[in-house]
Amino acid sequence: MKIRALILGILFSMGGVAAMSAQDQEVVKGFSGGMMVHSGYQYGCDNPFGLNISSPTFGIGGCAKLHFSEHFRAGFEGYFSTAPIKRGVVSGSHNKLFWTGLLADWFFQRGKFIPYVGATLGGGMETSFFMFEGDKHDWVEEGRTVLHKQPFFAIDPYVGVEYAVGKALRLTLKADWLFALNADGLNEPMGPRVYFGFIFAH
């Protein structure tokens, strides 16, 4: 019975995929995706040491989107962003954010320019590393160090514009503000980021 159910399930799935493939041209109008680097500025304190993490942040990531109409896209994205900490700690301390999730945005095209606005919903992890004394370049154990990880729910609104260099290649520039929610509420540090990258579209 299990084998029959498995065979029927496979046949049903194959039929469903075939039906979807036949309608792909109607449902999916195109796709796009690429890589982006970013820089921004973080500030705020959510640690018991009173360290206000006011620092530039840098990172990299990417996105992939399916185009379901002339003005609506959906897909996913993910990024790493690292802010070095210099006040109250030894060099080498940092605050790192990773987040990923499902996105949706609305866009329109005016000549070669494609403005868009959207948001990403997902989750991520904040990693804080504080070294209060010592030297990151030696091989000596450091006694006063703290490593803390905190998962969060991510809401990331963004706005941007693409520029069509050619039929398939676009440059993109966007800005966002990540709202990271954890068990204690709104996570800090937080702040704006500006992204620049390459998008391939079809």
Side-chain angles (χ1 to χ4, degrees):
M1 291 296 294
K2 292 182 179 180
I3 296 177
R4 290 180 182 178
L6 179 61
I7 293 174
L8 289 174
I10 293 174
L11 292 175
F12 181 79
S13 298
M14 291 176 64
V17 170
M20 289 179 62
S21 298
Q23 299 177 356
D24 271 351
Q25 296 301 318
E26 298 178 2
V27 176
V28 180
K29 306 298 182 182
F31 60 88
S32 60
M35 300 290 293
M36 284 172 273
V37 295
H38 65 260
S39 180
Y41 193 81
Q42 290 189 172
Y43 63 90
C45 172
D46 67 346
N47 59 79
F49 308 105
L51 296 175
N52 189 327
I53 303 173
S54 298
S55 171
T57 184
F58 308 92
I60 191 170
C63 66
K65 305 176 184 180
L66 294 177
H67 301 202
F68 293 101
S69 74
E70 298 299 323
H71 301 287
F72 176 73
R73 307 180 292 197
F76 65 91
E77 66 178 357
Y79 298 95
F80 284 96
S81 190
T82 302
I85 307 172
K86 299 181 179 179
R87 298 179 181 178
V89 290
V90 176
S91 176
S93 302
H94 60 265
N95 179 268
K96 180 182 292 185
L97 295 176
F98 163 73
W99 71 98
T100 186
L102 300 177
L103 64 82
D105 63 36
W106 290 262
F107 68 99
F108 61 92
Q109 187 161 359
R110 292 293 182 268
K112 292 188 175 184
F113 291 93
I114 307 165
Y116 59 90
V117 60
T120 298
L121 297 179
M125 181 72 70
E126 178 192 24
T127 301
S128 300
F129 177 70
F130 305 143
M131 185 164 64
F132 293 98
E133 63 182 15
D135 188 342
K136 68 177 181 178
H137 298 293
D138 60 27
W139 289 97
V140 178
E141 293 184 4
E142 310 297 352
R144 297 190 61 206
T145 59
V146 174
L147 176 64
H148 180 264
K149 290 192 174 184
Q150 173 70 56
F152 59 81
F153 174 71
I155 304 175
D156 188 28
Y158 58 83
V159 61
V161 62
E162 297 173 0
Y163 178 78
V165 178
K167 186 176 181 180
L169 178 63
R170 301 173 181 174
L171 301 178
T172 186
L173 180 69
K174 80 167 189 175
D176 76 344
W177 191 296
L178 175 65
F179 294 93
L181 303 173
N182 57 38
D184 298 322
L186 186 61
N187 185 75
E188 292 184 340
M190 59 190 301
R193 292 177 178 82
V194 177
Y195 300 71
F196 176 77
F198 298 89
I199 299 295
F200 298 94
H202 177 73

